[in-house]
C-alpha cells in the first residue's frame, strides 16, 4: 500500500513537468472508489497550476478548481508523453499538452475526485479530518506531546489514526517507535515530554529517509506500466519477526494490534 513517502515521491516525479500544462481530455476506465464528481468535459481547457500533497492525497490545482487523487491500496501514477493504449487496470487518463497522467490501479481503491475549491463540501469531506503534516512546519514537538496527553489508546493506534499527524502508516509507525525506544502498546497519555520529543524527531527522520531513498528509485516507481511497485525501506523492525534486533540482537517480536501486525524489540523499546 502506498504510504506518505511513496505519495510524496510520486508528486516529485511529475509535479514540475505537469505544471503549466493544459488539459486536453479525460478518459475514464472502470469505476474507482469515488466518482469524479463532474463531467470530464468540464476540465478540458483548464491549466494545471501545481501539484501539492495533503496526507496521502495529491492535489492538482487547476485554473477551475482542483483534482484530488488517492492511490488507494494498489494505485500508481505515471506521467509520460508516449503511453501505450490504456490497459485493463488503467482507470484514469488525463491528456495534457505536456503528457498523459495515468492512474494504474488493479484493486480500484484509488480515486480521482474533482472539486471546484479546497473548501468545497466534497473536498472537505476527504481532507477535513486530517492531522498536521509530519514533514511540515506545523508538526511541533510540544503540541504533539499535548495531543498525546489526552489519548488513552496505545501510541501505535494513535499514530495510525492520523488525527494528530497524518501519513504515519503501519511500517513507519513501527520504525519510528523503534527509533524512539517506545513500546507500541504504551498508552499515549503515559508518554513523557522527552519521549514524545524523541518520537516526534523519529517520525520526521523515518519519513524523510524514505522520501530520500524513494527519490533514487523514482524511475521505477513512476513508470505507469511498471510492476515493481513501491520502494523498500530498510526496516529495522517491520516484517522482521524472529530476526535479531540490529541494536541488541534480541529476536524481534510481532503481535496483532488493531488488526495490524506490529513489530518491536523487547529490550530496545520500553513500556
Ligand atoms: Zn533491540
Amino acid at each position: 500500500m502506498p504510504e506518505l513517502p511513496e505519495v510524496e515521491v510520486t508528486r516529485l516525479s511529475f509535479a514540475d513537468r505537469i505544471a503549466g500544462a493544459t488539459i486536453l481530455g479525460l478518459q475514464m476506465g472502470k469505476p474507482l472508489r469515488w466518482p469524479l464528481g463532474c463531467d470530464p468535459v468540464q476540465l478540458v481547457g483548464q491549466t494545471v497550476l501545481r501539484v501539492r500533497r495533503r496526507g496521502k492525497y495529491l492535489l492538482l490545482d487547476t485554473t477551475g478548481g482542483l483534482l484530488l487523487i488517492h492511490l488507494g491500496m494498489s494505485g500508481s501514477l505515471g506521467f509520460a508523453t508516449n503511453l501505450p493504449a490504456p490497459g485493463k487496470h488503467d482507470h484514469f487518463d488525463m491528456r495534457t499538452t505536456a503528457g498523459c497522467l495515468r492512474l494504474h490501479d488493479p484493486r480500484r481503491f484509488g480515486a480521482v475526485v474533482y472539486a471546484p475549491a479546497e473548501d468545497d463540501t466534497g473536498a472537505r469531506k476527504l481532507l477535513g479530518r486530517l492531522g498536521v503534516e509530519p514533514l511540515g512546519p506545523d508538526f511541533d514537538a510540544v503540541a504533539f506531546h499535548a495531543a498525546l496527553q489526552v489519548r488513552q489508546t496505545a501510541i501505535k493506534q494513535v499514530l495510525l489514526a492520523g488525527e494528530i499527524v497524518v501519513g504515519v502508516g503501519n511500517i513507519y509507525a513501527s520504525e519510528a517507535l523503534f527509533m524512539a525506544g517506545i513500546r507500541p502498546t504504551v498508552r499515549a497519555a503515559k508518554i513523557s515530554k522527552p519521549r514524545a520529543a524523541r518520537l516526534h524527531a523519529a517520525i520526521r527522520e523515518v519519513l524523510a529517509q524514505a522520501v530520500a531513498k524513494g527519490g533514487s528509485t523514482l524511475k521505477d516507481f513512476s513508470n505507469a506500466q511498471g510492476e515493481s511497485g513501491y520502494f523498500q525501506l530498510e526496516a529495522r523492525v517491520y516484517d522482521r519477526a524472529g530476526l535479531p534486533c540490529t541494536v541488541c540482537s534480541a529476536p524481534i517480536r510481532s503481535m496483532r494490534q488493531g488488526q495490524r501486525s506490529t513489530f518491536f524489540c523487547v529490550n530496545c523499546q520500553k513500556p
Side-chain angles (χ1 to χ4, degrees), residues 1-15:
M1 186 192 300
E3 295 214 37
L4 184 145
E6 286 86 354
V7 179
E8 177 63 10
V9 168
T10 298
R11 187 185 75 80
L12 294 169
S13 74
F14 74 99

Side-chain angles (χ1 to χ4, degrees), residues 7-182:
V7 179
E8 177 63 10
V9 168
T10 298
R11 187 185 75 80
L12 294 169
S13 74
F14 74 99
D16 287 350
R17 291 185 290 146
I18 204 171
T22 300
I23 299 168
L24 301 173
L26 259 59
Q27 191 177 343
M28 315 293 286
K30 289 197 187 119
L32 293 162
R33 184 166 180 185
W34 299 301
L36 180 65
C38 77
D39 185 335
V41 173
Q42 201 182 321
L43 281 147
V44 175
Q46 293 193 24
T47 297
V48 178
L49 302 172
R50 57 183 175 157
V51 186
R52 292 178 290 142
R53 183 187 53 75
R54 182 74 181 97
K56 297 209 293 187
Y57 286 93
L58 289 174
L59 275 55
L60 273 67
D61 291 305
T62 68
T63 41
L66 73 162
L67 278 171
L68 296 92
I69 303 180
H70 198 286
L71 299 178
M73 305 284 286
S74 60
S76 60
L77 275 177
F79 184 68
T81 46
N82 285 313
L83 288 177
K88 67 170 182 170
H89 297 306
D90 299 326
H91 304 299
F92 173 85
D93 269 16
M94 185 172 82
R95 285 184 302 109
T96 76
T97 49
C100 179
L101 183 68
R102 170 173 291 175
L103 176 65
H104 176 84
D105 188 357
R107 296 182 65 182
R108 292 193 282 124
F109 283 103
V112 183
V113 176
Y114 178 77
E118 200 171 336
D119 59 3
D120 176 75
T121 323
R124 278 221 315 268
K125 216 165 78 184
L126 300 179
L127 302 173
R129 289 182 63 234
L130 296 179
V132 299
E133 286 292 330
L135 297 172
D138 295 338
F139 185 40
D140 167 81
V142 176
F144 179 55
H145 177 244
L148 294 182
Q149 290 306 290
V150 297
R151 280 164 167 91
Q152 302 303 325
T153 40
I155 180 61
K156 176 146 180 275
Q157 304 299 102
V158 169
L159 293 178
L160 291 187
E163 289 172 6
I164 300 180
V165 56
V166 295
V168 188
N170 202 27
I171 298 173
Y172 300 105
S174 297
E175 293 297 308
L177 286 165
F178 175 77
M179 211 182 270
I182 298 171

Side-chain angles (χ1 to χ4, degrees), residues 243-257:
L243 295 172
C245 171
T246 54
V247 173
C248 74
S249 298
I252 298 297
R253 296 198 189 175
S254 73
M255 59 174 285
R256 299 296 284 177
Q257 208 178 3

Side-chain angles (χ1 to χ4, degrees), residues 192-204:
S192 68
K193 206 167 176 178
R195 296 183 96 196
R198 277 204 298 278
L199 181 56
H200 172 266
I203 289 168
R204 279 194 192 262

